[in-house]
Amino acid sequence: MKLHLNAEYLLSKPLTGEGVQKVKKYIAEETKEILVKGVPKEKLSESPKIIDSNISDELISVTIESGTYVRSHAVAIRLKNSLSLLLGKEFKVGIKKVVGKKYTLTLELEKIPKDPIKIPFVDNILIEGNNAILTLNDLDEEFLTKNHVDRIINLFYDKVEAQFWGGKGEHWELISKSKNIDPLTNKDPTTELLALGWLKQGPSQGQWFYHAPIAALLRTMERIAIEEILKPLGFIEVIAPKLVPFEIWEKTGHLSGSEPEIYYVSPPISRDISVWEEVIDLYKITKKAYVDKIRERMRDPIGGMTYAQCPPMYWAFDGKTIDDSEFPVLIYDRSGPSYRWEAGGRQGIERVNEFWRIEPVFIGYPDQLIELKEKMMERYAYVFDKIFEIEWRTAWVTPFYMAQSGQTGIEKETERIKGTVDYESWIPSRGNREESEWLEFQNLSIVGDKYTKAFSIKSSKNKELWSGCSGIGLQRWTVSFLAQKGLDSDKWPKEFKKYFGEFPRQIKFV
Amino acid sequence: MKLHLNAEYLLSKPLTGEGVQKVKKYIAEETKEILVKGVPKEKLSESPKIIDSNISDELISVTIESGTYVRSHAVAIRLKNSLSLLLGKEFKVGIKKVVGKKYTLTLELEKIPKDPIKIPFVDNILIEGNNAILTLNDLDEEFLTKNHVDRIINLFYDKVEAQFWGGKGEHWELISKSKNIDPLTNKDPTTELLALGWLKQGPSQGQWFYHAPIAALLRTMERIAIEEILKPLGFIEVIAPKLVPFEIWEKTGHLSGSEPEIYYVSPPISRDISVWEEVIDLYKITKKAYVDKIRERMRDPIGGMTYAQCPPMYWAFDGKTIDDSEFPVLIYDRSGPSYRWEAGGRQGIERVNEFWRIEPVFIGYPDQLIELKEKMMERYAYVFDKIFEIEWRTAWVTPFYMAQSGQTGIEKETERIKGTVDYESWIPSRGNREESEWLEFQNLSIVGDKYTKAFSIKSSKNKELWSGCSGIGLQRWTVSFLAQKGLDSDKWPKEFKKYFGEFPRQIKFV
């Protein structure tokens, strides 16, 4: 890696000849500390260097070259600080601004990208032999200070990698499997429920109306999750906001790729009725929503509907120091639906845009979470084996490129602590248990310190804090159950019947 | 009312001289039926008239004048149909289109508007003595057919009326009042809850995070509503969509004025990751949401988040004929929050943008709903008197201009069946019971056949169907209780404690 930066420092007023000499001397003789600070001892030969400088009365121009240890943009900022000190004290001259006029990043390639790569802020990307040469121009101080360049370098390498592993799916590995269970049906639950009139599709893509009998089933799933899993383990209920501002997703990292699935939310530009008079009048006359005129009166989106339930739950602890007697913190939310924009067409209630979940979130010491995960998996197993009596399995699923590039602990059993366990159920209507695609009906993750760090959640004893969560999808639990047990409740497992009771009457249509 | 319309009929090919004669004769001698059909017998003198016509080979131009009975635009459409028949059969000539070239509406005024009035599609409004003269130009057939003109006339009169009554607030009339109860506190609940750390404000305007103790209170309110009110009366739970497309609000009429408070929802323009690559890259580099670039990638809004919970519940019965044995249909939903964009600034949890409600909806014969309303009011009274033991009252609240213009049954006790009963609680922190503003903490409405008609919901015996609903706000129930009973649960009424149990532990922060 070779990072070649031409940085310019614009001064608040012209320097005297004496000042110019002073700066020249400083750059030539006194910048060693700035250049080597932070470079590992065995890599001192790769320290950044100032290879050129040019001082006029109002502008200092410096060319810096670095490798990966202490990068040129960091040097440029260090230099700004020390020059400010020097010029301010002796000559009452300030630095008005620093600009990265031209920044050339030469990056070694292990693989030559097959397709062109585009990256914001990068004006040109040239592949030359085994190097990629990225050129950036006119970078401001914030850009140089805030790790933007480092992230651009990482992003470039990720994009090269994705060209080789992208679209190759996931690495799937079985963790455990329940015993085989003969299903009581091989019919598709959604088709059955529609025929009964218990479901109505709509009103928009991926939404359903759940009439009383199926609502009762969803609520039974909720009750089982609470009584059999959450309460016994000590989880307490909170009610978390369901509209999530971008600021929260900026911290959780959901904006690294969830954008194509988010339902965006915009408040009105004003509550003043006169702003809306035209839209309201048009409706009163035509009985139609004038969508283009509504759009003109919408603010920029402030965020989106719940995509995953946990981000606002972490946000609730933003910047908090929690008394160590509290760990593990065990909370759950079940206060409203989540939304994901899925590809079109009718699909069953197992794949919907609007879905209801219970989301337990846990924060604690690593060993506490490892123990908790075991206990949760035991409770889940109890529910699926003894209450649902269904055939299910758990699997370790990793995006293929991560598995290949060693970004996950796929190779080492001991590193499996962090990561996501997927729960899958056999859906007999899709085919036999060996060949058909099973339904991922819930998951359980330990995410390490990702969110505790992102939200600066601390232990009062300053111990390492991890967190994790588990998405319990009410529709997916329901489909997993119905797909194997059918709709004849007389044949359902006794333990499930205890929770469910009887179907409420469905309203008769003629 | 005088409606003066110049309508033009564009023909598919030129008429022969014979054809022109035929049309002239038809208009002069054979249009009587078209002109008087539907005019009340005693108003025949006010029947519409064709006062001029002009027939060239490709264009028939007609000037129609009418009063309020059978209006000129209706005549223009009738004429189109009969001319089509006449010309098609004998001359193989069709009518390509009909245009309302110029439509002049002369409307009598009881009050002269003080300010200018604007109405979409109306190019000019002139006040002349006691008349308003509205001019519309170039109206297409859909416009003439679909009642647009009639709605414009109504809208004009409403706007005149609003200039006199607008902003004059509401007519408030006491229905009943509980006995006086000495409050156990006069502190503001939200302030208290914030001090305890049980609430956290945000993450966006009018949202709160409810930690376990206050979540437990909200859930207790829900349980009381279900166990004491809904279940005893036979309501069954459904799960209704929480994202509401405009099509539903077009039917319910919420677009007649809710627009300034709606949170609009837009799906992404595409799930294709390449469409979003720039936004995602910008986030990966800067850790910021690029809102302008997100907005460019949002579809037009498809609707909004739940504003009132009932519209999707009526939609579930859209076009359905319900077996008469089912009435009254009694359902409720509690599956997620509602959203209203309220004016800014911090307010307590009694006035929030994101709030949780249980919404019972009932559909049945008028007498069934009248009886049900009585029973619901009894159950509510039991909860507020015997479980909450709070001081509360009910009131009949009508927008002032409606009360004045006789649009409501305010004067007649017997007409009070339809309409909304507001429930209000005394909030001691706001002042004494006589002078302070009480909190409207729930309501109960019978809306007549408004929604059953809008959604064509029918009884199998074709009987008249009414509907109604009641919004039970969990936050407002909670505030009503806490404002009078305080947070010391040892002092709470025994019946409430039975439901509540004990506070869950709140997480300790340091």
Side-chain angles (χ1 to χ4, degrees):
Chain A
M1 186 180 301
K2 206 174 75 184
L3 310 179
H4 186 276
L5 172 64
N6 173 229
E8 286 184 358
Y9 303 85
L10 194 68
L11 306 181
S12 61
K13 59 181 187 189
L15 267 182
T16 58
E18 191 195 346
V20 171
Q21 288 313 313
K22 189 94 184 182
V23 171
K24 277 191 179 161
K25 184 160 180 288
Y26 174 78
I27 289 176
E29 297 171 16
E30 294 163 44
T31 47
K32 198 184 162 197
E33 201 191 311
I34 283 178
L35 293 169
V36 303
K37 193 178 145 200
V39 178
K41 269 190 187 147
E42 68 281 12
K43 299 286 184 183
L44 279 177
S45 64
E46 295 176 36
S47 296
K49 292 177 188 61
I50 296 173
I51 57 174
D52 193 15
S53 65
N54 198 337
I55 299 122
S56 70
D57 50 1
E58 287 195 322
L59 192 79
I60 301 172
S61 169
V62 175
T63 305
I64 308 164
E65 204 168 85
S66 81
T68 191
Y69 308 103
V70 181
R71 296 174 174 186
S72 296
H73 52 281
V75 173
I77 297 301
R78 289 180 183 179
L79 201 55
K80 185 210 166 194
N81 295 336
S82 58
L83 284 173
S84 289
L85 216 64
L86 183 80
L87 298 176
K89 224 164 41 185
E90 229 168 300
F91 304 96
K92 311 292 176 209
V93 172
I95 293 176
K96 276 208 313 212
K97 67 175 184 179
V98 50
V99 180
K101 284 306 286 179
K102 185 170 182 177
Y103 203 176
T104 309
L105 321 175
T106 304
L107 309 177
E108 296 88 9
L109 292 167
E110 286 184 13
K111 303 185 185 97
I112 307 301
K114 296 178 280 193
D115 301 310
I117 288 174
K118 276 184 70 176
I119 295 182
F121 308 112
V122 179
D123 294 328
N124 190 39
I125 299 181
L126 190 72
I127 308 295
E128 241 181 45
N130 284 329
N131 285 319
I133 299 162
L134 282 61
T135 315
L136 294 76
N137 295 293
D138 293 318
L139 309 172
D140 64 19
E141 183 168 352
E142 190 190 357
F143 195 94
L144 296 172
T145 313
K146 291 201 167 167
N147 295 329
H148 289 8
V149 181
D150 310 286
R151 295 198 195 111
I152 283 172
I153 294 168
N154 293 340
L155 184 57
F156 174 77
Y157 280 121
D158 286 350
K159 287 192 175 212
V160 174
E161 201 64 24
Q163 288 193 3
F164 293 89
W165 299 116
K168 287 215 180 161
E170 297 175 322
H171 177 92
W172 183 93
E173 199 185 323
L174 186 70
I175 300 175
S176 73
K177 184 179 171 319
S178 75
K179 64 179 185 196
N180 286 7
I181 306 271
D182 288 336
L184 304 180
T185 183
N186 58 10
K187 290 182 177 159
D188 169 52
T190 302
T191 310
E192 295 287 285
L193 294 169
L194 274 170
L196 286 165
W198 292 2
L199 274 180
K200 177 178 174 171
Q201 196 180 10
S204 83
Q205 187 183 308
Q207 292 188 294
W208 297 87
F209 184 94
Y210 304 86
H211 278 288
I214 175 77
L217 260 172
L218 294 173
R219 289 295 180 204
T220 300
M221 297 304 171
E222 184 178 74
R223 221 158 42 242
I224 291 172
I226 293 170
E227 297 299 331
E228 295 289 345
I229 293 156
L230 301 175
K231 276 195 188 166
L233 294 173
F235 282 87
I236 51 178
E237 185 179 4
V238 299
I239 294 181
K242 290 281 153 294
L243 161 59
V244 185
F246 290 127
E247 290 73 15
I248 287 184
W249 285 330
E250 284 174 350
K251 289 201 174 185
T252 58
H254 279 87
L255 297 176
S256 300
S258 307
E259 286 90 335
E261 293 188 337
I262 287 173
Y263 278 79
Y264 297 93
V265 176
S266 306
I269 48 168
S270 171
R271 287 190 83 230
D272 181 350
I273 196 89
S274 69
V275 169
W276 289 91
E277 191 175 351
E278 185 191 10
V279 176
I280 294 169
D281 287 350
L282 283 167
Y283 169 73
K284 285 182 175 170
I285 294 168
T286 66
K287 300 293 168 193
K288 291 284 165 210
Y290 273 66
V291 175
D292 52 336
K293 293 198 181 281
I294 289 172
R295 185 165 185 156
E296 288 166 9
R297 288 165 176 83
M298 281 160 47
R299 293 186 193 209
D300 277 342
I302 56 173
M305 293 315 302
T306 294
Y307 179 85
Q309 256 160 290
C310 59
M313 297 167 83
Y314 289 114
W315 165 85
F317 297 94
D318 190 17
K320 295 273 187 199
T321 300
I322 299 172
D323 193 287
D324 275 69
S325 64
E326 298 288 343
F327 297 116
V329 166
L330 304 171
I331 56 176
Y332 71 94
D333 172 79
R334 56 171 181 118
S335 65
S338 303
Y339 294 86
R340 293 188 188 181
W341 182 254
E342 301 280 0
R346 179 173 96 66
Q347 284 162 322
I349 61 164
E350 67 274 22
R351 188 170 179 80
V352 284
N353 293 25
E354 181 182 50
F355 50 97
W356 277 261
R357 270 185 174 177
I358 309 178
E359 181 98 357
V361 165
F362 28 99
I363 302 171
Y365 309 144
D367 58 329
Q368 290 176 328
L369 295 208
I370 291 162
E371 192 191 327
L372 177 71
K373 182 179 168 186
E374 288 305 313
K375 282 192 198 156
M376 288 184 82
M377 290 181 77
E378 276 168 33
R379 299 302 310 171
Y380 281 134
Y382 175 79
V383 168
F384 307 140
D385 284 337
K386 306 296 181 192
I387 299 180
F388 290 8
E389 297 182 14
I390 58 167
E391 188 168 335
W392 61 285
R393 67 190 181 197
T394 55
W396 192 263
V397 179
T398 327
F400 202 63
Y401 77 92
M402 279 180 78
Q404 291 297 323
S405 62
Q407 285 185 54
T408 176
I410 195 75
E411 315 82 7
K412 283 201 203 168
E413 191 63 33
T414 51
E415 288 181 16
R416 285 276 176 83
I417 292 156
K418 287 194 237 178
T420 298
V421 176
D422 276 354
Y423 283 74
E424 303 179 343
S425 59
W426 176 31
I427 307 295
S429 61
R430 293 181 180 176
N432 65 41
R433 61 167 63 80
E434 289 79 17
E435 290 157 313
S436 68
E437 189 196 356
W438 289 35
L439 175 68
E440 193 230 302
F441 71 99
Q442 74 160 29
N443 57 44
L444 174 59
S445 303
I446 292 190
V447 296
D449 62 7
K450 180 177 176 186
Y451 294 136
T452 43
K453 276 213 169 144
F455 288 97
S456 302
I457 304 170
K458 297 214 168 67
S459 116
S460 59
K461 293 185 179 156
N462 211 18
K463 292 200 183 179
E464 184 180 14
L465 286 184
W466 280 11
S467 75
C469 57
S470 181
I472 303 173
L474 301 186
Q475 279 105 328
R476 293 202 173 180
W477 272 32
T478 301
V479 167
S480 298
F481 180 80
L482 294 181
Q484 294 186 32
K485 298 300 174 196
L487 276 160
D488 180 355
S489 63
D490 291 341
K491 296 185 181 155
W492 287 353
K494 221 165 51 184
E495 289 301 311
F496 187 84
K497 284 281 281 180
K498 270 192 208 161
Y499 272 101
F500 183 71
E502 299 295 331
F503 274 116
R505 216 187 58 257
Q506 166 62 356
I507 294 155
K508 261 189 288 182
F509 300 118
V510 294
Chain B
M1 187 180 300
K2 206 173 74 182
L3 309 179
H4 186 277
L5 172 64
N6 173 229
E8 286 184 357
Y9 303 86
L10 194 68
L11 306 181
S12 61
K13 59 181 187 187
L15 267 182
T16 58
E18 191 195 346
V20 171
Q21 288 313 313
K22 189 93 183 183
V23 171
K24 277 192 178 159
K25 185 161 179 288
Y26 174 77
I27 289 176
E29 297 171 17
E30 294 163 44
T31 47
K32 198 185 162 196
E33 201 190 311
I34 284 178
L35 293 169
V36 304
K37 192 177 145 200
V39 178
K41 269 191 187 146
E42 68 282 12
K43 300 286 184 183
L44 279 177
S45 63
E46 295 176 36
S47 296
K49 292 176 189 60
I50 296 173
I51 57 173
D52 193 15
S53 65
N54 198 337
I55 298 121
S56 71
D57 50 0
E58 287 195 324
L59 192 79
I60 301 172
S61 169
V62 175
T63 304
I64 308 164
E65 203 168 87
S66 81
T68 191
Y69 308 103
V70 181
R71 296 175 174 184
S72 296
H73 52 281
V75 172
I77 297 301
R78 289 180 183 179
L79 200 55
K80 185 210 166 193
N81 296 336
S82 58
L83 284 172
S84 289
L85 217 64
L86 183 81
L87 297 176
K89 223 162 43 183
E90 229 169 298
F91 305 95
K92 311 292 176 209
V93 171
I95 293 177
K96 276 210 311 213
K97 67 175 184 178
V98 50
V99 180
K101 284 305 286 178
K102 185 170 183 176
Y103 203 176
T104 308
L105 321 174
T106 304
L107 309 176
E108 296 88 9
L109 292 167
E110 285 184 14
K111 303 186 186 96
I112 306 301
K114 295 178 281 192
D115 301 311
I117 288 174
K118 275 184 69 175
I119 294 182
F121 308 113
V122 179
D123 294 328
N124 190 40
I125 299 181
L126 190 73
I127 308 295
E128 241 181 44
N130 284 328
N131 285 318
I133 299 162
L134 282 61
T135 315
L136 293 76
N137 295 294
D138 293 317
L139 309 171
D140 64 19
E141 183 168 351
E142 190 190 358
F143 194 94
L144 296 172
T145 313
K146 290 201 167 167
N147 295 329
H148 289 9
V149 181
D150 310 285
R151 295 198 195 111
I152 283 173
I153 293 168
N154 293 340
L155 183 58
F156 174 78
Y157 280 121
D158 285 350
K159 287 192 174 212
V160 174
E161 201 65 25
Q163 289 194 2
F164 293 89
W165 298 116
K168 287 217 179 159
E170 297 176 321
H171 177 92
W172 184 93
E173 199 185 323
L174 185 71
I175 300 174
S176 73
K177 184 180 171 317
S178 75
K179 64 179 183 194
N180 286 7
I181 306 271
D182 288 336
L184 304 180
T185 182
N186 59 9
K187 290 181 178 161
D188 170 52
T190 303
T191 310
E192 296 286 285
L193 293 169
L194 274 170
L196 286 165
W198 292 3
L199 274 180
K200 177 177 174 170
Q201 195 180 10
S204 83
Q205 187 183 308
Q207 291 188 294
W208 297 87
F209 184 94
Y210 304 87
H211 278 289
I214 175 77
L217 260 172
L218 294 173
R219 289 295 180 203
T220 301
M221 297 304 171
E222 184 178 74
R223 220 157 43 242
I224 291 172
I226 292 170
E227 297 299 330
E228 296 289 344
I229 293 156
L230 300 174
K231 276 195 187 165
L233 294 173
F235 282 87
I236 52 179
E237 184 178 4
V238 299
I239 293 181
K242 290 281 152 293
L243 161 59
V244 185
F246 289 127
E247 290 73 15
I248 288 185
W249 286 330
E250 284 174 350
K251 289 201 173 185
T252 57
H254 279 87
L255 297 175
S256 300
S258 307
E259 287 90 335
E261 293 187 337
I262 287 174
Y263 278 79
Y264 297 94
V265 176
S266 306
I269 48 168
S270 171
R271 286 189 84 230
D272 181 350
I273 196 89
S274 70
V275 169
W276 289 91
E277 191 176 351
E278 185 192 10
V279 176
I280 294 169
D281 287 350
L282 283 167
Y283 169 73
K284 285 182 175 171
I285 294 168
T286 66
K287 300 294 168 191
K288 292 284 165 210
Y290 274 65
V291 175
D292 52 336
K293 294 198 181 280
I294 289 172
R295 186 165 186 158
E296 287 166 9
R297 289 164 175 83
M298 282 160 46
R299 293 186 193 210
D300 277 342
I302 57 173
M305 293 314 302
T306 294
Y307 179 85
Q309 256 159 290
C310 59
M313 298 168 83
Y314 289 114
W315 166 85
F317 298 94
D318 190 18
K320 295 273 187 199
T321 299
I322 300 171
D323 193 287
D324 275 69
S325 64
E326 297 288 343
F327 297 116
V329 166
L330 304 171
I331 57 176
Y332 71 94
D333 172 79
R334 56 172 181 118
S335 66
S338 303
Y339 294 86
R340 293 189 187 181
W341 182 254
E342 301 280 0
R346 179 173 95 67
Q347 284 162 322
I349 60 164
E350 67 273 23
R351 189 171 179 80
V352 284
N353 293 25
E354 181 183 50
F355 50 97
W356 277 261
R357 270 185 175 177
I358 309 178
E359 181 98 357
V361 165
F362 28 99
I363 302 172
Y365 310 143
D367 58 328
Q368 290 176 328
L369 295 209
I370 290 162
E371 191 190 327
L372 177 71
K373 182 179 168 184
E374 289 304 314
K375 283 191 197 156
M376 288 184 81
M377 290 181 76
E378 275 168 34
R379 300 301 311 171
Y380 281 134
Y382 175 78
V383 168
F384 307 140
D385 284 337
K386 306 296 181 192
I387 299 179
F388 290 8
E389 297 183 13
I390 58 167
E391 188 168 336
W392 60 285
R393 66 190 181 196
T394 56
W396 193 263
V397 179
T398 327
F400 201 63
Y401 77 92
M402 280 180 78
Q404 291 297 323
S405 62
Q407 285 185 53
T408 176
I410 194 75
E411 315 82 6
K412 283 202 204 166
E413 192 63 33
T414 51
E415 288 181 16
R416 286 276 177 82
I417 292 157
K418 287 194 236 177
T420 298
V421 176
D422 277 353
Y423 283 73
E424 303 179 343
S425 58
W426 176 31
I427 306 296
S429 61
R430 293 181 180 177
N432 66 40
R433 61 167 63 81
E434 289 79 17
E435 290 156 314
S436 69
E437 189 196 357
W438 289 36
L439 175 69
E440 193 229 302
F441 71 99
Q442 74 160 29
N443 56 44
L444 174 59
S445 302
I446 292 189
V447 296
D449 62 7
K450 180 177 175 185
Y451 294 136
T452 43
K453 276 213 168 144
F455 288 97
S456 302
I457 304 170
K458 297 214 167 66
S459 117
S460 59
K461 293 185 179 158
N462 210 19
K463 292 199 183 180
E464 184 180 13
L465 286 184
W466 279 11
S467 75
C469 57
S470 181
I472 303 173
L474 300 186
Q475 280 104 328
R476 292 202 173 180
W477 272 33
T478 301
V479 168
S480 298
F481 180 79
L482 293 181
Q484 294 185 31
K485 298 300 175 196
L487 277 160
D488 180 355
S489 63
D490 292 341
K491 296 185 181 154
W492 286 354
K494 220 164 52 182
E495 290 301 311
F496 187 84
K497 284 280 281 180
K498 270 193 208 162
Y499 272 101
F500 182 71
E502 298 295 331
F503 274 116
R505 216 187 59 256
Q506 166 62 356
I507 294 155
K508 261 189 289 182
F509 300 117
V510 293

